[in-house]
Amino acid sequence: MRAFIGAAVLFMAAGCGATAEEATERAPATTAAESRGHLSPTPAPAARIQVSPDQHRILSAQCEYADTEELRGECRSAVERGYRVGEENPALDCRRYSGVSVCGPLPLSERERRCVTDAVAGGTTPRRAEVECYVNF
């Protein structure tokens, strides 16, 4: 699953029509959270992704839902390192469920990933399960 998510993030970071070399240059950097098995919304430092003020606000606010204080801090740092305010980025995966808006990949803990697996097995869509498990733990 991690390879699938990595490929999806690579595709999102690369954008349509990018060469393999361009995609690799813009691929997300690995963070401490990722090395422990957590996803992180961190693009490579040199490839700061331009997002609208609203998208940046959502990215920053969603860090408050991370499972631990350490993950919340890593998430906030990742947003500041990886994104810059500019024009709206239609390629950024933003969604809203249960009154909560999130954008990009979520830094899910092991407990949250188990929650997603269980919710999907119960019939919830993967995108919705990610948001609900991220917010509710």
Side-chain angles (χ1 to χ4, degrees):
M1 172 152 170
R2 193 151 162 74
F4 174 77
I5 292 170
V9 171
L10 179 63
F11 175 77
M12 286 179 10
C16 295
T19 67
E21 183 176 86
E22 290 170 330
T24 302
E25 288 174 6
R26 291 185 263 177
T30 300
T31 65
E34 285 179 311
S35 68
R36 290 189 308 275
H38 301 137
L39 295 177
S40 177
T42 311
R48 289 182 70 198
I49 296 172
Q50 180 174 247
V51 296
S52 72
D54 277 347
Q55 289 173 318
H56 195 272
R57 180 188 49 75
I58 290 167
L59 285 161
S60 296
Q62 75 194 32
C63 292
E64 296 309 310
Y65 294 108
D67 202 23
T68 65
E69 183 55 44
E70 180 183 12
L71 288 175
R72 287 188 288 275
E74 288 179 13
C75 180
R76 287 187 294 265
S77 294
V79 170
E80 292 310 311
R81 283 189 323 267
Y83 298 91
R84 65 182 173 87
V85 176
E87 294 184 24
E88 183 172 351
N89 184 340
L92 186 64
D93 179 24
C94 294
R95 57 243 188 244
R96 182 173 179 85
Y97 295 107
S98 302
V100 177
S101 295
V102 298
C103 289
L106 300 174
L108 299 175
S109 68
E110 182 60 37
R111 177 172 66 155
E112 291 163 337
R113 285 193 300 276
R114 282 194 306 270
C115 172
V116 170
T117 300
D118 292 345
V120 169
T124 304
T125 65
R127 287 168 46 87
R128 183 178 191 111
E130 272 188 349
V131 174
E132 290 184 352
C133 292
Y134 182 66
V135 169
N136 291 318
F137 275 96

